[in-house]
């Protein structure tokens, strides 16, 4: 039997697709279009292991896929037509919730929002939250160590995971599901698989951390004249609110101007200012306590000149509206036309210097260029995006200057001790940048690990390394 | 030149010891006594790398050592007299504190307490805290992924580390120091080195997370009739206090009876009860707020029958006295005589069942045996220690029954989804248990990684794997 026949014998008709594969072959941003030999859709961990063994026997490589919402081309096949896409979508069972232990065990194909809802149904919180949550899967979230809007308090996907079940490159099953907060029995395999983008093994299930649901959430907007002031406001908010501070987002004036232009129906409670900060407090005591905390904090910030204006949301609906402003920036950007995106991280203290220096360097090199700077300042994570000058066709600008702009930005990231991929991963998109910019000793260590765990190079080849 | 001469030429007289090595050759509990060829004491990362290269050329193995306070024999040489102890003690510089980024960068030989003090001098908190903090080093803390008393809120050493500088087995330097909260550029090398007990590379420096100092800390003791109630109290405290709950320790009646017997001068505010819980709240608003939170929480717990009595500390001194009770248990145990220690982790929800079942099994097998059960219930980490029956000489009991008791305990740990080493690591002490009990696929992955990163097997051989 050839591979496709063997896979069909193993998985049945429901478990193998060989036509109409477009949705599996194209990435979400439509930058990458590949061609697969077939899409395997196993329904159990044992079936995943059997698929891997069949592929290993025949030297055929595998591309694991969850919700296929990644931004770096990590989950679509190459153009050879010889790869198998391994979709985890049928493995979507919540296996267990342990309320006393605050853990949830779920299969890789569970959609993130379904997990949030399963936790909420038990009065608990699974705090991972990001734009694609309606279709991304927890397997993909773990494979890419996804971030999102609550990292400041709860950490990335990695910090939310206690244990994994993984199918190795040789088709064995590592049974590493556990609900333990402490476990010092050997090397940290869990964190090695997390963020490896399917190149070291295939995550089939995970045990995740849950939290008590905060009784209240409160949101405020504050206007700052400079990023330096926004950083000082962050320090103040951390000292006052401790880990009650669950969100600290920053938006430059142009980001909000684009929202105003393309979504004029969205109210913007503050007058335009160089930088606007969105703060979120989560409170285990209640709405009144959160509001009082916010008022004290913002009063101090106003008095000490860190902010020029502020608005505290007066209701849940207004909180949502404040977040909606922040979340509308990527959509407003798209309306304005293609831009050149950078998902970067820096030490929080380095961000003001980085932005001033890089804005200036780009403005010198490309007169009239515009900056859509926004992101998770509390995590040191900026979405530092560069828009064509007014009147210049965005696609032409991008084609002509993307490489040069990336070089200026990533060189500055390097000088300021930053990372060229904060939360989106490497995939295909940043593989060459990684090879060029990462510490060579680190790259050699990573290659040695890849070779040790996947000697045939069959798991998601050409991604990351 | 032979190796010792080469090392002396490299490190100078201050950097190489060849006599009076006892303190480096014997572990803290005096269970292991080795013999070293020499103790190398490099003063810089470059010197560490050069030592490793010299040893690698001659095929001589290295045992990295920090404060030598480990409990599993991981940091002393074997008896061959052919190993080099690599002491990081001279590398104790705090390289940088970045208050806006809430990070501290320090060399491996920094004593933990010195780091806590360096952070405090800037008004900040480095929350790792454990009994040996006056002499253990941050390099050792990271090599063993140390835990301690504030894990519930801040995590283990692993969660407190953002970046590492590591000398690899081939004597190269991985420059992975970074102060980033998000960095998805390839595999997670950091977490692989953390907890690898010096078998994959030598940590020479680290960038660590700092936190704002809480304005107030408040402590309470509460009496429970059962462990089930203690677990319910934990859930209630988490829901009420959120991440303000920084400590949740449990002590059985016999633990506190031993303290009463050997340290009668220590006041015990509550009457004896089957289980006593120590709760700690950290508060960013102040003492009064913390006290009010405690009173509300304990009132609810009393009303709903979760606890039978409680005492809230009325001063910092009384808080210290409550903690002192808890910290005196290991000393009281020593006074009572040798016992058989188990540093285990379980899902919190499994702890009542585990203790009931294992107490019963051991009592059946060894009539009159006594249980010193205490630990970090909030983390699912129990120190489940077994003391000889009254009147039986402890050393004889231990010699005769340690293996059989370990088997009963560790078998039960396995059945309940737990870990045989929560926070102490594997070292020499639990290496055979690990080989016998860990998932074989995990062991094979670990061995493949060890071989890939240390092909000559020169870094702390015979430890962990």
């Amino acid at each position: 039997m050839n591979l496709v026949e063997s896979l069909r014998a193993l998985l049945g008709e429901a478990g193998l697709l060989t036509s109409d594969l477009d949705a599996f072959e194209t990435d979400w941003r439509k930058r990458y279009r590949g061609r697969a030999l077939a899409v395997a859709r196993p329904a159990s961990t044992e079936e995943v292991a059997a698929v891997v063994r069949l592929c290993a026997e025949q030297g055929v490589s595998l591309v694991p896929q969850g919700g296929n919402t990644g931004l770096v081309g990590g989950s679509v096949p190459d153009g050879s037509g010889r790869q198998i896409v391994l979709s985890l979508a049928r493995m979507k069972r919540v296996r267990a919730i342990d309320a006393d232990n605050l853990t949830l065990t779920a299969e890789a194909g569970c959609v993130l929002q379904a997990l949030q809802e399963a936790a909420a149904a038990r009065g608990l919180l699974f705090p991972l939250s990001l734009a694609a949550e309606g279709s991304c899967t927890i397997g993909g979230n773990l494979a890419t160590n996804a971030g999102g809007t609550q990292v400041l308090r709860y950490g990335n996907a990695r910090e939310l995971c206690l244990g994994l079940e993984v199918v190795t490159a040789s088709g064995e099953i590592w049974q590493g599901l556990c609900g333990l907060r402490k476990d010092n029995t050997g090397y940290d395999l869990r964190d090695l698989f997390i963020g490896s983008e399917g190149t070291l093994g295939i995550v089939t299930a995970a045990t995740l951390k849950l939290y008590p649901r905060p009784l209240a959430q409160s949101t405020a907007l504050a206007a700052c004249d400079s990023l330096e002031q926004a950083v000082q406001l962050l320090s103040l908010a951390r000292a006052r609110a401790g880990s009650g501070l669950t969100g600290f987002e920053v938006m430059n004036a142009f980001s909000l101007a684009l929202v105003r232009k393309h979504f004029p129906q969205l109210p913007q409670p503050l007058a335009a200012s160089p930088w606007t900060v969105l703060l979120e407090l989560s409170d285990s005591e209640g709405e009144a306590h959160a509001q009082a905390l916010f008022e004290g904090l913002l009063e101090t910030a106003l008095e000490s000149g860190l902010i020029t204006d502020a608005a505290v949301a007066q209701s849940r609906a207004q909180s949502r509206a404040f977040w909606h402003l922040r979340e509308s920036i990527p959509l407003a950007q798209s309306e304005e036309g293609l831009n050149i995106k950078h998902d970067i991280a820096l030490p929080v203290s380095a961000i003001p210097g980085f932005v001033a220096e890089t804005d200036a360097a780009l403005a010198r090199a490309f007169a009239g260029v515009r900056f859509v700077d926004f992101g998770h300042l509390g995590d040191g994570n900026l979405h530092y995006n560069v828009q064509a000058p007014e009147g210049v066709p965005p696609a032409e600008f991008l084609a002509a200057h993307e490489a040069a702009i990336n070089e200026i930005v990533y060189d500055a990231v390097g000088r300021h001790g930053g990372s060229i991929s904060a939360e989106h991963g490497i995939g295909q998109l940043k593989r060459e940048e990684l090879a060029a910019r990462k510490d060579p000793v680190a790259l050699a260590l990573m290659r040695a690990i890849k070779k040790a765990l996947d000697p045939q190079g069959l798991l998601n080849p050409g991604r990351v390394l």
Side-chain angles (χ1 to χ4, degrees), chain A:
Chain A
M1 281 200 286
N2 69 23
L3 179 63
V4 170
E5 288 165 3
S6 304
L7 287 171
R8 184 167 288 119
L10 172 71
L11 302 171
E13 287 300 326
L16 195 75
L17 306 178
T18 52
S19 57
D20 292 328
L21 305 183
D22 262 22
F24 299 91
E25 293 172 330
T26 309
D27 80 308
W28 188 79
R29 288 171 71 189
K30 312 227 182 292
R31 273 180 92 114
Y32 299 96
R33 210 170 281 273
R35 210 156 56 77
L37 179 62
V39 175
R41 301 173 73 240
S44 68
T45 305
E46 290 67 31
E47 284 189 1
V48 173
V51 169
V52 172
R53 287 195 300 270
L54 277 175
C55 288
E57 275 164 26
Q58 308 213 10
V60 170
S61 63
L62 283 152
V63 179
Q65 191 176 97
N68 199 19
T69 59
L71 299 171
V72 291
S75 60
V76 290
D78 64 24
S80 68
R82 294 205 17 89
Q83 296 190 302
I84 298 292
V85 169
L86 178 61
S87 167
L88 282 299
R90 286 174 75 204
M91 290 184 62
K92 55 184 179 190
R93 209 156 51 88
V94 173
R95 292 192 190 161
I97 293 184
D98 181 342
D100 283 335
N101 195 44
L102 290 176
T103 50
L104 178 155
T105 300
E107 292 178 344
C110 277
V111 169
L112 174 54
Q113 194 176 317
L115 291 189
Q116 296 166 346
E117 289 167 1
R122 295 289 294 270
L124 297 168
L125 174 72
F126 180 59
L128 189 67
S129 175
L130 44 95
E133 63 197 23
S135 44
C136 66
T137 61
I138 191 63
N141 297 148
L142 291 166
T144 59
N145 187 27
T149 54
Q150 302 209 73
V151 174
L152 179 60
R153 163 66 184 97
Y154 300 102
N156 281 1
R158 174 173 287 130
E159 279 88 56
L160 294 171
C161 180
L162 293 173
L164 289 180
E165 179 187 85
V166 172
V167 171
T168 69
S170 58
E172 292 184 291
I173 299 167
W174 168 45
Q175 193 45 262
L177 290 176
C178 83
L180 303 176
R181 260 72 184 176
K182 287 182 173 177
D183 181 17
N184 280 348
T185 54
Y187 305 154
D188 183 6
L189 300 173
R190 175 192 68 204
D191 291 328
L192 186 61
F193 286 114
I194 293 174
S196 68
E197 302 186 25
T199 65
L200 297 180
I202 295 154
V203 172
T204 51
T207 300
L208 304 161
K209 287 187 199 169
L210 301 178
Y211 288 84
R213 287 190 86 75
L215 270 189
Q217 274 188 328
S218 188
T219 309
L221 294 174
C224 293
D225 279 338
S226 71
L227 265 179
E228 283 82 358
Q229 290 174 330
V231 168
Q232 293 312 311
L233 179 63
L234 174 62
S235 292
L236 179 69
R238 278 171 158 157
R240 286 291 185 92
S243 54
L245 185 69
T246 46
F248 196 97
E249 304 282 314
V250 74
M251 307 166 265
N252 73 348
F254 184 59
S255 301
L256 286 175
L258 282 183
V259 173
R260 195 171 282 120
K261 176 176 169 188
H262 296 289
F263 306 107
Q265 72 280 18
L266 297 183
Q268 298 207 9
L270 301 184
S273 70
W275 296 91
T276 302
V277 173
L278 183 157
L279 302 95
E280 183 185 76
L281 292 182
S282 295
D283 202 289
S284 48
E285 291 171 65
E287 205 77 50
H289 184 252
Q291 295 264 345
L293 233 169
F294 248 150
E295 278 156 24
L297 164 65
L298 295 170
E299 209 172 282
T300 305
L302 269 168
E303 279 165 10
S304 52
L306 294 183
I307 63 175
T308 55
D309 196 6
V312 179
Q314 296 303 313
S315 64
R316 267 183 195 246
Q318 204 176 8
S319 268
R320 285 304 319 149
F322 287 6
W323 271 109
H324 195 52
L325 277 180
R326 158 67 182 81
E327 287 157 1
S328 298
I329 297 173
L331 303 168
Q333 279 184 121
S334 302
E335 292 295 320
E336 188 72 6
L338 279 177
N339 65 19
I340 302 168
K341 294 190 201 303
H342 307 99
D343 165 47
I344 57 177
L346 295 150
V348 170
S349 51
I351 285 181
F354 167 85
V355 169
E357 173 188 325
T358 314
D359 280 8
L362 288 168
R364 275 195 305 275
F366 307 97
V369 80
R370 298 174 298 169
F371 305 104
V372 187
D373 297 348
F374 66 101
H376 319 294
L377 185 63
D379 314 319
N381 179 190
L382 273 193
H383 299 302
Y384 184 86
N385 299 341
V386 181
Q387 197 100 29
E390 187 95 49
V392 175
E396 281 172 33
F397 184 79
L398 188 134
H401 302 304
E402 183 171 20
I405 288 174
N406 286 349
E407 195 172 335
I408 290 172
V409 173
Y410 291 145
D411 283 355
V413 167
R415 280 196 303 280
H416 288 274
S419 163
I420 63 165
S421 181
E423 59 179 8
H424 295 173
I426 299 299
Q428 304 179 54
L429 182 65
K430 294 187 180 174
R431 185 183 163 217
E432 284 169 32
E433 292 287 356
L434 186 78
R437 295 177 183 278
K438 189 84 180 175
D439 177 83
V441 177
L443 283 171
L445 290 168
M446 290 179 193
R447 290 187 184 119
I449 291 166
K450 170 71 175 173
K451 204 168 163 201
L453 299 196
D454 179 20
Q456 286 183 272
L458 296 182
L459 295 181
N460 220 2
R463 313 301 156 86
V464 186
L465 295 177

